[in-house]
Each structure stands twice: as C-alpha cells, then as structure tokens.
Amino acid sequence: MSSTTPLIDLFGKKFIIPHYQRGYRWEEQEVTELLDDIWNFMNTSNKGEFYCLQPIVVQKIADNEYNVLDGQQRLTTLYLILVYLEERRFEDGYNQELFTLNYETRDKCEKFLADRTFITTVDESNIDFQHICNSYSYIETWFKNHAGAKGKLIPILLDDNTGGNRNIRFIWYDVEQEKNPIDVFIRLNVGKIPLTDAELIKALLLQSDKYHSDDLKFNKMKLFEIATEWDTIEYTLQEEAFWYFLSNEENLKPTHIEFIFDAIANKILKEKKYFESKNFKHATFLILSAYLQDLITNDKKSRIDAVKHIWEMVIEYFEYYKEWFNNRKLYHYIGYLIESRGSHIIDTLIKESKERTKKSFVTYLEGEIKELIKINTKGKDASGNSITVNLKDLCYENEDQKTNDKPLIIRILFLHNVIATLKSEKEKAKFPFNLYKKTKKNEKWSLEHIHAQNSENITKPAHQKSWLQDHIKSLTNTNDVQFESIIKKMNSALKDDDLDKEKFNKIVNSVYSLINKIAGINEKNIHQIDNLCLIDKNTNSQLNNSVFDVKREKIKKREVKGYYIPVSSRNVFLKSYTDYPQNNAYWRSEDRTGYLKSLEEMYNYFVIEAVN
C-alpha cells in the first residue's frame, strides 16, 4: 500500500535498517543537493504545494516499528538535519518526539545516534559512523552559508498536510508482512546503478526469514557474526596500502569485498559451469546464488550450513591476504608478482601455499620472480657468433644488437626497489605498492638516464635560461679549472636576451663533452643498465638534459614536495652504492660499478642462488 506521507508523520516511529542493507554512504554532494532542492522548493512554491521525495519502502514488524527496505540514505540524512534544527524547531513549537534509527549491523548504532556525539566529534570506529559524522558537518556548513534558512525550512520540513501548508512528503510504500523482504529489496535495487554484486550477495546470505522459528535465534546470531566479519573485511580492503597490494587497479565501486566474491565466483564457474561465461550484469551475484541453491538442493546442506560454507570461502581468502600482507617477505615477493602479472595469479598462489611448507612456498615465489627477470636473450659478437648476454650488457637502446631491453630492465629495476625496501630494517619498512601503482596509472614510469644523454630539445628561451642557471651553479661548485672557460661562455649566454638555438646547443654540447670525458661515458655505455633508474615521467621531463648534480637537486626538491621517488633511484642520486665517493658532481665509473654490483647481487640471488 502506498501514499504520500509528510515527514512529521514519521515522528515517534522506530526504523530499523536490516543487516542486508547497505550502510550509510552519502557524501557531501548528495547531502547538499537534498538541502538545495528543499531550499529551492521553499523559494518557488505556492500555498498548498508539496515537494515529493523519493519513495521510502518499509515493512511493519510491530506497532510503530518498521524495517526500511529502501530509502535509508535519505531518511538518515533527514534525521541529521532535524537533529541540527532541534533547538530552533522546539522554539517554533515543533516539539514532537523525533523518529529513531537503528542499523542492525552496528550494535552500538542506536546509542551512537541517541548520544549525538556526531555533533562535536568524528567517530572513525566504522565507516557508517564516519559518514554520519561527515554528513552532519556538511549540514552545519550548508546552514551557515544560507542565512535565515533555519526558520524558513522548519515549516517546510515539519508541517502536516492540512490548511494549505507547503511541505515535503515521502511516497510511503508499506510492504505486506507476508512478502519476503529480501525479494522486495533485490527487486527494488537490481536496476539501480549504485547497487553492487556484493550488496546483493549480502542480502542473499543474511536473510533471516528463511529459517524455521525453532532455529531462528541461533541462526540470527550466526548471521550477525557474518555481518560483523563482513564489515571488518570491507574496512580492511578499503585501506589503500592493503588494496593496492592485492590489486593493480583503483576500485571505483563502493564495496571492496566484491574483490573476494569475484575470485570465488570465477573459481566456482570453472568447476560448476552454471553459465558459459561471466560476461553479463551481476554475474558474480548470480553465480553465488546458483551455488547456494546447489549446496542446498544437491549437497543436501541446510541453508545455514550452505551460507556458512560460502562465508568460510570468503574468510579463507581474507586470511591468506592478511597473512601475506603482514609477513614482510611474502608481502614483497607476492606484491611484486601481482604487480607484474596481475591479481588473477592469487588463486594459484593460494593453491601453492596450501600444498607447500612455508619454506617451500617462499622458494616457489623466488622461482616465479626468477622467470620474470631472467635474461633469456643471446647477443652476437662482431663476427656474428652467438654470445651470452649478462646483466651489465642490458641496454636501453642497442644499435649493435638491434635489441631493446627496456621491458626487462624495468622489471629488474622495479624488483631492485622492492628488495631494497625488504632489506631495510628501518621501521620494518614496506614497499609502497599503492604509490608505485598510482604513479604508474597517472604519470607512468620511465627509465631515466642517470648521466644524461645529450638530446637537443631545449628550445624555449625560459627553459634555456633555467638550464644555464642550474649548470653554472653546478659546475662552479666543482671548483674544477676545466670548466672555467665554458662557465664564462654560459654567463655571457645568460645575459644574452637574443640567445639563438645554435649558440645554446653549442654550449650544451661543450658541457657534455667535458663531463662525458670525466665520467667515462660513451655512446655505448650511456644506455646500459648501470646508467638507468626508475623515475616517473613528470619528474623525468623536469630532469631532461640536466647533469647528475642538477638532477640530484631537482629530485630532492620533488621529494620534499611530496612526490614519490623510488628508494633505489633516490639511493643512486645520493651515491649510496659508492664507497666513499670522491666527487658528487658526476656519475662516474666507480659509481656505475657500485650500482651494478648491487643489481647483480639481487639478480644472482634470484636467478642462481635461491632456486638451487
């Protein structure tokens, strides 16, 4: 039965949001849009008109007590608005007892709302309370920005339908008590874009009306336990570091637990073949629904045992995730493999973990890493004979061999950063896969020449001046007489407002000619792995054509500003791989040797030592 009901008619009632419902998730946009709509109605409506809100679908469970099947987001927000307006509405004679709300998945929700601590503090103990606190602050801000709105909106919100009053009303839909509330919930929501497979699965698993009354109390306790564990898993998966350890992609869905259900559905579909593929809307939900029914019908499990069976699968996945995340070696090894191959390898990793001892599993992971970094290519000597390619021979560009080792170099340098973090005992550091993957998506990673290759692409006068200023300072700080002549030319060019491209490039070539000689750089070794590190493309563009000393200063400034610089790349520019460096101005032969030694130690461990 449906009707249009004024908000005031909800006062004195108790509304329960069942455990299968989504928690409170409205953000600032939704809260302010609701207030803006009511405010616009107040300013433009005529006597007797009403503003109709979206439906609220309820099912009566006792006198003045209802389960909310749809509309809880708007109902909760209106509750917060009325709490904010309470003092003023009492002054204006609207002193009826406010309706109450209780989210079944939050055992302290009723007390949390009754105590109204959300007025003064932000409770981050769970995601629902945090959103409620945030929404209250959005409401407070909105009213501060709308002078006189308190007194004007209270009649619109709280007047009844008599006497030509203007007010807001719900489409009130009261579902018959005989109807299954879960079926109604799914039917109402299945067509809505925001609803996720996880939320449909939650409704499927946690419905309590499917059980005989004799077992209802015990089964409700178990379902409540699952709902609580569900929130814990969701909260953990929402943590950025945890999420990006497991996934290479940003999760744009409101629920992250769906990551586990997707994995379970993929596994079930391979075994059960309920559908030919998984390429259809709500496939994960429908596969889990078919599996639940299969367990009940064909495996002769009771419904509660079938639900527990599926939930135990969820717990198993989550326990593996936690174990891997909390074990530093597993975290770094598995994190590297997932970033390199994708999340689809997780099922294989779980299978291997089950069948192996802990030591054997680590050995297996090291073998998988070996396959990603092992050099399998052969080169040719001057006579055309096949020769072995060693780590030191890997090259960004190899004109002699007509090869491009960039993908392999990137995998090796990425691993070098991961293992460098693993080896660090400083505060039990963890490699920030979240920062690495977010940078990879937004700015991309590139190979940076530590000692820069000289490419003539600085054409804008402002960039030329900046290059001259940086390099005058750098070369002057060396106190090297070899640079006196070129520094004079650079100072002269800096004062030349009409500096032409040819003159500037001549200066750049002279600088690099001298520095290449000092650093022992030639056309062949400039592209080799001991002169390469990982830098994001934005930083790379700022370092272009800069000598080592200038690059180091720019990287330091970028890091101070909060940009992510991988640890090995930072170590390169700090010359951490060189014993007692004699000169910090150039990337010299002894620096390349120290850096290559570190790379070789890591490479040899995985390719030669670990799996033997």
Side-chain angles (χ1 to χ4, degrees):
M1 182 180 70
S2 65
S3 61
T4 57
T5 301
L7 181 58
I8 194 68
D9 283 5
L10 275 56
F11 276 48
K13 292 180 169 59
K14 181 176 182 178
F15 295 99
I16 297 168
I17 291 81
H19 44 61
Y20 53 78
Q21 281 274 25
R22 180 190 301 180
Y24 184 69
R25 294 294 184 275
W26 267 21
E27 302 282 356
E28 183 174 12
Q29 180 179 339
E30 290 88 355
V31 174
T32 54
E33 282 180 354
L34 175 61
L35 284 164
D36 286 342
D37 288 345
I38 298 171
W39 180 249
N40 290 335
F41 169 75
M42 190 280 301
N43 286 315
T44 59
S45 59
N46 298 313
K47 183 177 180 181
E49 292 182 344
F50 64 90
Y51 179 74
C52 192
L53 297 170
Q54 292 293 319
I56 177 170
V57 182
V58 298
Q59 188 174 53
K60 190 172 183 179
I61 54 178
D63 288 343
N64 284 328
E65 189 170 339
Y66 299 84
N67 275 335
V68 179
L69 308 187
D70 195 39
Q72 79 274 16
Q73 306 287 334
R74 187 169 284 98
L75 187 62
T76 303
T77 306
L78 286 167
Y79 175 88
L80 296 175
I81 293 170
L82 292 169
V83 169
Y84 178 78
L85 294 172
E86 187 163 86
E87 184 178 346
R88 179 58 186 267
R89 68 183 178 86
F90 283 174
E91 291 175 1
D92 293 352
Y94 298 90
N95 52 10
Q96 298 95 325
E97 182 185 357
L98 186 57
F99 58 86
T100 62
L101 293 170
N102 186 26
Y103 282 76
E104 275 192 345
T105 55
R106 305 296 180 193
D107 57 346
K108 298 179 181 178
C109 180
E110 199 164 12
K111 185 177 187 303
F112 167 74
L113 292 172
D115 291 348
R116 300 185 178 181
T117 54
F118 56 81
I119 294 175
T120 55
T121 60
V122 176
D123 187 333
E124 297 181 348
S125 61
N126 64 67
I127 195 168
D128 291 335
F129 289 2
Q130 185 175 353
H131 275 84
I132 287 170
C133 294
N134 290 340
S135 289
Y136 188 84
S137 70
Y138 303 146
I139 293 165
E140 191 173 38
T141 299
W142 188 92
F143 275 98
K144 286 179 180 177
N145 293 332
H146 292 75
K150 283 186 179 181
K152 293 178 180 178
L153 287 191
I154 286 174
I156 299 294
L157 288 167
L158 298 180
D159 277 351
D160 60 23
N161 294 348
T162 61
N165 288 332
R166 295 183 301 163
N167 62 9
I168 65 168
R169 302 180 194 178
F170 283 100
I171 297 176
W172 174 272
Y173 189 91
D174 195 349
V175 176
E176 295 173 8
Q177 288 182 290
E178 293 76 20
K179 287 190 176 181
N180 184 332
I182 309 296
D183 292 341
V184 174
F185 166 74
I186 293 174
R187 190 168 64 251
L188 285 167
N189 286 285
V190 75
K192 293 183 179 180
I193 294 173
L195 198 71
T196 67
D197 284 79
E199 289 161 335
L200 290 169
I201 292 166
K202 190 176 187 180
L204 177 72
L205 298 181
L206 298 186
Q207 51 185 320
S208 58
D209 63 303
K210 294 286 188 179
Y211 302 99
H212 191 275
S213 58
D214 294 343
D215 303 319
L216 188 57
K217 185 177 180 180
F218 172 80
N219 290 339
K220 272 193 169 183
M221 289 173 60
K222 181 57 188 176
L223 295 178
F224 183 79
E225 180 183 327
I226 292 174
T228 303
E229 290 173 338
W230 181 297
D231 285 346
T232 300
I233 294 172
E234 177 64 34
Y235 187 80
T236 304
L237 288 170
Q238 292 272 358
E239 294 175 6
E240 186 177 278
F242 197 93
W243 174 256
Y244 277 106
F245 162 64
L246 296 167
S247 173
N248 293 341
E249 303 295 333
E250 180 184 5
N251 191 343
L252 300 176
K253 298 177 182 178
T255 51
H256 285 45
I257 197 172
E258 196 164 316
F259 181 82
I260 298 178
F261 284 118
D262 284 339
I264 293 173
N266 290 335
K267 187 176 180 180
I268 291 171
L269 192 60
K270 286 180 183 178
E271 297 172 0
K272 297 293 185 178
K273 308 292 184 185
Y274 294 129
F275 307 98
E276 291 184 3
S277 72
K278 196 169 175 280
N279 299 320
F280 53 91
K281 188 175 181 181
H282 294 304
T284 293
F285 162 67
L286 293 170
I287 291 168
L288 266 294
S289 180
Y291 185 57
L292 178 69
Q293 194 58 46
D294 194 2
L295 290 172
I296 295 170
T297 304
N298 298 319
D299 290 3
K300 306 302 180 184
K301 289 182 179 288
S302 66
R303 183 177 184 87
I304 192 64
D305 285 341
V307 168
K308 285 164 63 177
H309 177 83
I310 291 174
W311 188 246
E312 284 165 4
M313 296 172 72
V314 175
I315 293 296
E316 182 181 49
Y317 272 89
F318 183 62
E319 289 300 322
Y320 274 107
Y321 297 165
K322 281 200 306 179
E323 179 189 356
W324 297 345
F325 186 81
N326 292 326
N327 180 301
R328 288 187 74 239
K329 180 169 282 190
L330 295 181
Y331 169 84
H332 287 91
Y333 283 6
I334 292 173
Y336 176 79
L337 289 170
I338 289 175
E339 203 292 324
S340 301
R341 289 180 173 166
S343 299
H344 66 274
I345 68 168
I346 288 177
D347 273 329
T348 300
L349 297 180
I350 290 176
K351 177 178 177 293
E352 294 292 336
S353 182
K354 285 180 179 179
E355 295 174 354
R356 296 172 179 268
T357 64
K358 288 185 177 181
K359 184 177 179 180
S360 174
F361 182 54
V362 169
T363 302
Y364 163 79
L365 295 175
E366 290 173 340
E368 293 299 298
I369 292 171
K370 171 185 175 178
E371 294 305 311
L372 285 168
I373 65 168
K374 185 179 179 181
I375 302 167
N376 294 313
T377 57
K378 294 285 185 179
K380 293 182 179 180
D381 61 17
S383 302
N385 299 315
S386 179
I387 57 173
T388 300
V389 176
N390 296 311
L391 182 66
K392 64 182 178 61
D393 303 316
L394 292 181
C395 205
Y396 181 93
E397 293 174 359
N398 194 331
E399 288 298 323
D400 293 337
Q401 304 294 337
K402 303 296 182 184
T403 61
N404 179 344
D405 300 321
K406 281 192 282 188
L408 179 57
I409 291 173
I410 288 174
R411 290 199 297 273
I412 291 171
L413 294 183
F414 171 46
L415 180 62
H416 191 247
N417 280 278
V418 172
I419 299 305
T421 311
L422 172 59
K423 286 183 175 180
S424 172
E425 291 299 318
K426 185 179 180 181
E427 298 178 352
K428 299 295 181 184
K430 282 186 172 182
F431 182 82
F433 289 106
N434 55 326
L435 298 179
Y436 184 87
K437 293 177 183 182
K438 287 167 71 176
T439 301
K440 183 178 181 180
K441 179 182 179 182
N442 298 325
E443 289 91 23
K444 312 298 181 186
W445 289 104
S446 66
L447 291 175
E448 170 69 15
H449 288 81
I450 302 167
H451 178 99
Q453 57 178 333
N454 181 18
S455 57
E456 298 178 359
N457 62 354
I458 303 179
T459 57
K460 293 183 179 180
H463 293 171
Q464 291 175 345
K465 297 286 185 183
S466 177
W467 189 93
L468 289 167
Q469 288 169 343
D470 288 337
H471 289 75
I472 288 170
K473 186 185 298 183
S474 172
L475 299 183
T476 301
N477 287 340
T478 66
N479 293 317
D480 193 331
V481 294
Q482 295 180 80
F483 293 114
E484 287 182 356
S485 175
I486 192 63
I487 289 173
K488 288 180 182 179
K489 291 179 182 179
M490 293 165 74
N491 276 313
S492 175
L494 189 59
K495 297 173 184 176
D496 188 351
D497 292 332
D498 297 315
L499 180 64
D500 61 52
K501 180 181 178 181
E502 185 178 347
K503 184 176 179 181
F504 175 77
N505 286 337
K506 189 174 181 180
I507 290 172
V508 172
N509 289 333
S510 297
V511 169
Y512 275 99
S513 179
L514 278 170
I515 292 179
N516 287 350
K517 183 179 179 182
I518 295 169
I521 289 290
N522 54 50
E523 289 185 4
K524 183 176 181 180
N525 64 21
I526 196 169
H527 297 308
Q528 289 180 334
I529 193 171
D530 58 5
N531 191 46
L532 299 170
C533 67
L534 281 178
I535 292 290
D536 68 273
K537 284 195 173 181
N538 285 350
T539 301
N540 183 294
S541 66
Q542 296 193 24
L543 303 181
N544 197 23
N545 287 78
S546 297
V547 298
F548 179 82
D549 186 39
V550 174
K551 286 186 177 186
R552 180 178 61 248
E553 294 306 309
K554 289 184 176 181
I555 283 176
K556 282 162 59 179
K557 290 177 181 177
R558 292 277 289 177
E559 192 164 34
V560 167
K561 289 181 179 178
Y563 293 94
Y564 170 58
I565 306 296
V567 60
S568 294
S569 302
R570 186 195 317 124
N571 287 342
V572 158
F573 286 97
L574 293 175
K575 292 205 174 187
S576 299
Y577 302 109
T578 308
D579 293 331
Y580 304 104
Q582 297 179 3
N583 189 305
N584 286 316
Y586 327 114
W587 185 243
R588 300 163 67 99
S589 175
E590 60 265 29
D591 304 316
R592 296 199 303 276
T593 299
Y595 181 39
L596 181 61
K597 180 183 177 183
S598 178
L599 290 169
E600 286 177 333
E601 286 175 353
M602 178 210 72
Y603 179 84
N604 291 339
Y605 175 79
F606 285 98
V607 175
I608 299 172
E609 301 170 23
V611 294
N612 292 336

